[in-house]
Amino acid sequence: MRPAAAGRDENRVATMRERTAELHAIQALAESGPGERATAAQHAKGKLTARERIALFFDEGTFNEVEGLRRHRATGFGLEDRKPHTDGVVIGWGKVHGRTVFTYAHDFRIFGGALGEAHAEKIHKLMDLAEAAGAPVVGLCDGAGARIQEGVTALAGYGGIFQRNVRNSGVIPQISVILGPCAGGAAYSPALTDFVFMVRGTSQMFITGPDVVQAVTGEAVSMEHLGGADSHAESSGVAAFAYDDEESCLEDVRHLLSLLPQNNRELAPAGDLDDPVDRRNDSLLDLVPAQPNRSYDMRALIEEIADHGDYFEVHSQWAQNIVCALARLGGRVVGIVANQPACLAGVLDIHASEKAARFVQFCDSFSIPLVTLIDVPGFLPGVDQEHNGIIRHGAKLLYAYCNATVPRISLVVRKAYGGAYIVMDSRSIGADIALAWPSNEIAVMGAEGAANVIFRREINASDNPDETRRQKIKEYQTELMHPYYAAERGLVDDVIDPADTRARLISTLDMLRTKYAEQPSRKHGNLPL
């Protein structure tokens, strides 16, 4: 219902000022939503409203709403008597750090944020606008899934969203921020986007809820344990980031956007150049233990070489034996992939391979150069790994690197054994420049294992097997595992002083800035999914 103008003569044509006043009244009604009671209920759950989230997310005063007066046309089940403005989703664009970003935000106060025909059409329009403008899309998700009263039209609305998610994949950055429930088919749109953010205690994602799980399997599980932020950040790998509150979550979404290009035709924005490009990294001389089986934290290395020690880690709680992060080197954004000796000795396993492959593919899609820091003892052995497809999943990382056309630099920090060395962007699979520290050990396997295989008969036949084994290990190390073996054969371009790491990486990235790599003509490759 439009608000009636007090005392208006129905036969008189309203003036522009009266019409404008009426417009403002309607807009105020739409912006206020269903009322204070619904807002209080949202706050009582520890959640902000859609418009409060938008105000936090965008630069102040820059948000432009689209279709704020839209209403659904459905009838039946009482819907004809409930036609609120916005139909439960606020869409529009604004500025984040001065750059255009599009967003849709579910309003849980209206139909529980459930998606109906009009609701879906608004999101379709928003995604089409973002594609046309070449700007990121951020979904602020807080909805109860498909609107049951609208039946199949609601399901078709999700299909349109999924289709656009896929069409825009690798074209514009797509980010999903889960700030409430996201169940059933609704969960697949976030899964198709580049990054998923979640908030502990208030956001949940699952295909089937706890009641259905218990009815079908007999398992009793809470919503938080089944699909909460920590479950997806630590176990499933669906969420790249998890936070304690919405404010810090949205602030980090803004930070991530500051590191990304607007689309696949632009480069990521450059940062300040006030951290000297030739800054020495003397602390790195003491960071990495010479013994290949001793642990250290690879994040300390990344912090030392990155501009101002700042980096933004992705999936920090999942597959922690590999680190994936965005950082700036000499002002330019790079993607860093690094084995983490502090977790499982830095081995590659199924989850680490998937995590790194997805990150490499993302960086390549948006022209973000790759720096790979290698300290890997191999792939994780075990029956579970083999039966769950370590071959197939490890091939994902191999495929992602081989398919990447962005500038690629690899640095062997310490050990690099077997097939895992090849997969971690070795020179043989296309790294543009391969560097190594003087502590590097590149070989098929560790010296002890190699000696036991090569000299097994001699060791077993010896009067003193232990002494013979020690001698053969030393022999193998001397012949094949010295730091310059790979460099002498052109498999490493240079062995560098660790203190020069930052300077060498930056100068190499500068050299590769205009790299062009032409791909063979094909519809697409067949990634080993």
Side-chain angles (χ1 to χ4, degrees), residues 18-258:
E18 289 171 338
R19 289 294 191 188
T20 302
E22 181 183 44
L23 169 65
H24 289 321
I26 294 172
Q27 288 175 329
L29 184 65
E31 290 179 8
S32 65
E36 293 183 3
R37 185 175 178 181
T39 300
Q42 180 82 345
H43 289 166
K45 297 173 184 175
K47 301 194 296 183
L48 301 175
T49 66
R51 294 187 185 279
E52 287 170 340
R53 290 163 178 162
I54 286 171
L56 272 177
F57 178 61
F58 286 108
D59 298 347
E60 187 175 355
T62 64
F63 180 65
N64 298 272
E65 187 172 357
V66 179
E67 293 198 5
L69 303 183
R70 184 72 179 265
R71 289 170 161 173
H72 71 75
R73 299 172 294 183
T75 58
F77 305 103
L79 285 179
E80 63 273 14
D81 299 322
R82 297 180 61 199
K83 293 191 174 184
H85 291 297
T86 74
D87 199 43
V89 64
V90 180
I91 69 169
W93 76 89
K95 301 288 186 180
V96 174
H97 297 300
R99 298 192 300 157
T100 299
V101 175
F102 289 79
T103 194
Y104 62 88
H106 298 133
D107 191 341
F108 193 82
R109 301 173 302 164
I110 298 175
F111 299 126
L115 181 139
E117 181 185 22
H119 184 123
E121 287 176 353
K122 288 181 66 173
I123 297 176
H124 297 168
K125 180 170 188 172
L126 186 281
M127 296 176 78
D128 290 342
L129 280 172
E131 180 183 0
V137 171
V138 175
L140 305 180
C141 305
D142 185 7
R147 193 174 299 169
I148 299 172
Q149 299 94 321
E150 295 195 32
V152 70
T153 56
L155 296 178
Y158 274 123
I161 294 172
F162 302 157
Q163 184 186 53
R164 287 166 173 81
N165 285 139
V166 174
R167 190 173 71 214
N168 289 329
S169 181
V171 178
I172 55 175
Q174 299 179 84
I175 297 172
S176 297
V177 189
I178 313 302
L179 299 167
C182 185
Y188 281 112
S189 177
L192 291 169
T193 60
D194 299 308
F195 300 102
V196 175
F197 289 71
M198 295 186 73
V199 176
R200 296 180 180 95
T202 57
S203 61
Q204 300 90 30
M205 293 178 69
F206 37 70
I207 299 300
T208 53
D211 293 341
V212 176
V213 169
Q214 185 167 15
V216 174
T217 70
E219 298 174 275
V221 62
S222 68
M223 290 182 66
E224 192 67 18
H225 181 65
L226 180 64
D230 286 329
S231 293
H232 285 307
E234 297 172 9
S235 300
S236 73
V238 171
F241 309 94
Y243 298 87
D244 291 327
D245 56 78
E246 294 190 16
E247 291 82 359
S248 58
C249 176
L250 292 171
E251 184 56 39
D252 263 8
V253 178
R254 287 172 53 87
H255 180 55
L256 174 58
L257 287 167
S258 75

Side-chain angles (χ1 to χ4, degrees), residues 238-411:
V238 171
F241 309 94
Y243 298 87
D244 291 327
D245 56 78
E246 294 190 16
E247 291 82 359
S248 58
C249 176
L250 292 171
E251 184 56 39
D252 263 8
V253 178
R254 287 172 53 87
H255 180 55
L256 174 58
L257 287 167
S258 75
L259 296 167
L260 302 181
Q262 290 289 89
N263 53 63
N264 64 347
R265 302 182 304 277
E266 298 183 11
L267 296 177
D272 296 330
L273 294 176
D274 50 352
D275 189 352
V277 297
D278 58 351
R279 171 169 58 81
R280 284 180 59 81
N281 309 122
D282 291 313
S283 65
L284 296 184
L285 294 168
D286 302 311
L287 173 67
V288 179
Q291 300 89 334
N293 59 350
R294 285 191 58 191
S295 176
Y296 66 94
D297 191 345
M298 183 64 82
R299 293 185 183 92
L301 195 162
I302 297 171
E303 184 175 347
E304 175 61 27
I305 63 175
D307 289 0
H308 306 292
D310 185 32
Y311 64 93
F312 193 64
E313 187 174 355
V314 177
H315 284 295
S316 64
Q317 296 172 268
W318 180 60
Q320 296 183 42
N321 41 323
I322 200 159
V323 176
C324 297
L326 294 167
R328 282 192 171 93
L329 285 172
R332 293 195 184 97
V333 176
V334 299
I336 297 176
V337 179
N339 305 112
Q340 174 57 293
C343 180
L344 296 176
V347 296
L348 285 179
D349 61 3
I350 288 173
H351 287 163
S353 298
E354 287 188 319
K355 171 180 168 178
R358 173 78 167 163
F359 184 72
V360 167
Q361 186 171 263
F362 171 81
C363 290
D364 187 53
S365 295
F366 291 101
S367 301
I368 298 173
L370 289 161
V371 173
T372 304
L373 306 176
I374 306 167
D375 190 347
V376 62
F379 283 96
L380 181 65
V383 174
D384 285 346
Q385 287 289 306
E386 296 294 346
H387 286 185
N388 287 314
I390 182 63
I391 297 172
R392 176 167 49 89
H393 294 290
K396 294 177 183 178
L397 180 54
L398 180 60
Y399 188 102
Y401 268 126
C402 290
N403 199 48
T405 60
V406 293
R408 291 156 52 189
I409 305 171
S410 66
L411 170 64

